Amino acid sequence: MAELRDWQHLPVAGAVRPEEAARPLTGGWRTGERPAVDLPKCVNCLLCWTYCPDSAIVLDGETFAGFDLDYCKGCAICAEVCPVGAIAMVAE
Amino acid sequence: MTDIRLLTGGEAVAHAMRQIDPDVVPVYPITPQTPIIQTFAKFVADGAAQTEIVNVESEHSAMSAAIGAALAGARTITATSSQGLALMAEVVYIAASMRAPIVMALGNRALSGPINIHCDHSDSMLIRDSGVIQLFAENAQEAYDLTVLAPRLAEHPAVLLPVLVCQDGFTITHSAEPVVLLPDATVGRFVGDYRIPHSVLDVARPTTQGPFAMPDYYYEFRRQQAAAIEAAATVFADLAAEFALLCGRSYGEIERYRLDGASTAIVALGSTAGTVKDVVDELREEGEAAGLLKVTSFRPFPSATISAALAGVDSVVVLDRADSPGGTPPLHAEVAAALYGSGCELSGAVYGLGGRDLHPSDIRAAFKGAALSHIGLRGEPCRV
């Protein structure tokens, strides 16, 4: 954790530049379930990538390649939108 | 050659806006502000200003669009009254916290309910603690002048806050009086170019603006906002001095009217100050040591200046055009805090709610110490 700054040393209005951002790994907010893929079922439609609110679907080029669990919050939208049932939520 | 015109306060502010020529004006009409935007929209339609007017569907949207425009790098002005300001209020706090230097022209009007279209200051007072600078005009000339001053006050790097220029609804917005306009080029040079520290559209230097602040930072950001509005007092004084060199009209956070040697003084905001000045003149003719302290800058509130200006005055009466049910009216409370421990005899009275007239005889009674707690109210006044 970075040292907390006092009020005189904060950017005006809290405008944050990328190099100054703390970048916490918000995947720690998951509450017990994470997505898991049954890769042979995947048809690479990328609906999960389209719908994921945290950009936590990892692609290799244009091919589904898994989940970024550092940022996935376990919301299960990917599992819900998957048209072929390739994604299921499993206990951590 | 001096350009003197017969203008209402609303028209005078529209002329100031034409001369400032802001980039964006997101606005929604509401009485008694409507003449401001109506007149200004005609200027834009006639090509006298290059502004993009955004016809939004509500004041909440007007203020939201104003934040986006101001932070994108566009000089931005909006205008409203009463319920419009109430609907904006949520976003006004956000504008202050995002340090968006928006100029807001207000035609003061009573808040509902009962629904009413006439003047009191309850709308301004609703956003008293939002962190927005509030300047009160006494007449159309002051509304014009303060609007010309407002962009540079808002945009000063030490300030970066919205500035609300308040004029009493109907009493000023709709009353025609002689107003001296500065030459267009003079206003253009005075306001200069619009600059902000970080444009949200600067893709070479991207920023996240308006981020979430947890308990470890929220308090520090509130203090940062308070420091900004405190800095506005000095910036306003410097700008007023520069403005006085342009036109000879002087402004300050307060105006002292015949306070020298005064034994009794009234403290008031807005157009009422003009009526009080007439009564002060009459009383002085009659040998009474009466004076007026007009508060131009309600936020930041000039406590130290007021306590110095009223030192030696025996008795002070604060006139509030807004009540605070179950508490002390806002101007009275501020002046009481400023004068705490001074030994001065202080009283306060509410008047003029919902456009109720305040007569010179009422002011005379207040100077004589005979004012009621609720001037002009029918029935028995109730003291808090």
Side-chain angles (χ1 to χ4, degrees):
Chain A
M1 190 70 182
E3 193 180 330
L4 292 172
R5 294 194 223 170
D6 61 21
W7 70 266
Q8 296 99 321
H9 299 100
L10 292 175
V12 171
V16 183
R17 295 206 295 275
E19 62 272 21
E20 295 171 335
R23 299 176 186 244
L25 300 180
T26 48
W29 300 3
R30 278 198 309 280
T31 53
E33 286 196 328
R34 62 173 176 82
V37 66
D38 183 358
L39 210 47
K41 283 190 185 171
C42 173
V43 294
N44 206 47
C45 66
L46 301 187
L47 276 179
C48 54
W49 176 80
T50 304
Y51 279 93
C52 176
D54 282 300
S55 302
I57 304 295
V58 179
L59 300 187
D60 176 7
E62 295 186 2
T63 306
F64 175 88
F67 308 99
D68 184 347
L69 293 177
D70 282 344
Y71 294 100
C72 168
K73 299 193 184 69
C75 71
I77 288 173
C78 54
E80 183 67 26
V81 299
C82 179
V84 293
I87 299 175
M89 300 304 290
V90 300
E92 295 273 9
Chain B
M1 173 135 171
T2 307
D3 182 1
I4 305 182
R5 305 190 195 188
L6 184 67
L7 297 172
T8 65
E11 290 166 342
V13 166
H15 274 284
M17 290 169 66
R18 172 182 61 74
Q19 295 176 317
I20 293 165
D21 198 3
D23 300 300
V24 177
V25 169
V27 71
Y28 191 85
I30 183 169
T31 300
Q33 171 279 118
T34 304
I36 299 175
I37 184 53
Q38 184 176 321
T39 309
F40 180 68
K42 187 172 186 318
F43 290 144
V44 172
D46 291 345
Q50 309 310 310
T51 304
E52 179 165 349
I53 296 178
V54 186
N55 293 311
V56 288
E57 76 281 17
S58 75
E59 288 87 353
H60 193 281
S61 299
M63 198 62 200
S64 301
I67 293 176
L71 296 180
R75 181 171 273 145
T76 305
I77 300 180
T78 187
T80 194
S81 290
S82 183
Q83 303 311 110
L85 187 62
L87 186 53
M88 278 184 181
E90 176 192 9
V91 193
V92 169
Y93 271 74
I94 295 167
S97 80
M98 292 187 78
R99 308 290 294 279
I102 300 159
V103 173
M104 304 169 70
L106 188 76
N108 281 104
R109 160 181 157 182
L111 288 172
S112 298
I115 189 168
N116 172 287
I117 57 169
H118 291 280
C119 179
D120 70 33
H121 297 154
S122 51
D123 50 1
S124 299
M125 297 306 160
L126 176 75
I127 59 157
R128 181 187 68 175
D129 299 331
S130 64
V132 166
I133 295 163
Q134 291 196 21
L135 306 176
F136 279 80
E138 178 187 325
N139 50 41
Q141 182 71 62
E142 290 198 3
Y144 169 82
D145 289 341
L146 293 172
T147 304
V148 171
L149 279 169
R152 284 187 56 197
L153 178 58
E155 295 158 20
H156 190 282
V159 178
L160 291 169
L161 288 172
V163 175
L164 192 69
V165 178
C166 307
Q167 57 173 314
D168 286 350
F170 292 101
T171 314
I172 303 177
T173 56
H174 286 62
S175 302
E177 53 187 322
V179 176
V180 180
L181 299 187
L182 291 162
D184 294 355
T186 304
V187 175
R189 273 197 306 276
F190 181 78
V191 298
D193 291 334
Y194 181 80
R195 284 193 193 86
I196 50 169
H198 304 286
S199 165
V200 290
L201 292 184
D202 185 353
V203 292
R205 200 162 168 268
T207 47
T208 294
Q209 302 208 12
F212 188 73
M214 292 287 276
D216 58 356
Y217 271 116
Y218 180 89
Y219 197 0
E220 279 67 29
F221 280 113
R222 291 298 295 183
R223 180 67 193 104
Q224 191 190 60
Q225 282 179 56
I229 200 165
E230 287 160 17
T234 310
V235 174
F236 180 59
D238 292 346
L239 286 172
E242 189 181 329
F243 187 80
L245 292 177
L246 287 183
C247 64
R249 292 188 294 279
S250 298
Y251 289 90
E253 49 196 356
I254 63 167
E255 181 187 345
R256 300 164 179 83
Y257 188 80
R258 304 189 79 164
L259 273 183
D260 287 345
S263 58
T264 306
I266 279 180
V267 180
L269 295 168
S271 64
T272 294
T275 319
V276 175
K277 286 176 180 175
D278 283 345
V279 175
V280 165
D281 290 345
E282 288 170 14
L283 290 170
R284 287 279 184 170
E285 287 278 313
E286 294 162 19
E288 302 277 343
L292 164 73
L293 190 155
K294 178 178 85 182
V295 178
T296 299
S297 174
F298 182 73
R299 280 289 181 275
F301 193 78
S303 299
T305 310
I306 287 175
S307 76
L310 294 176
V313 176
D314 301 325
S315 164
V316 173
V317 182
V318 183
L319 299 182
D320 262 284
R321 202 162 190 173
D323 62 354
S324 177
T328 304
L331 186 59
H332 186 182
E334 293 287 354
V335 174
L339 296 184
Y340 181 73
S342 72
C344 165
E345 188 191 327
L346 179 70
S347 60
V350 170
Y351 75 98
L353 300 191
R356 179 69 50 89
D357 281 337
L358 178 73
H359 300 282
S361 56
D362 299 322
I363 296 167
R364 188 172 269 268
F367 272 120
K368 303 277 187 190
L372 302 166
S373 62
H374 293 70
I375 296 170
L377 176 73
R378 290 187 302 280
E380 191 182 342
C382 40
R383 237 178 221 291
V384 174

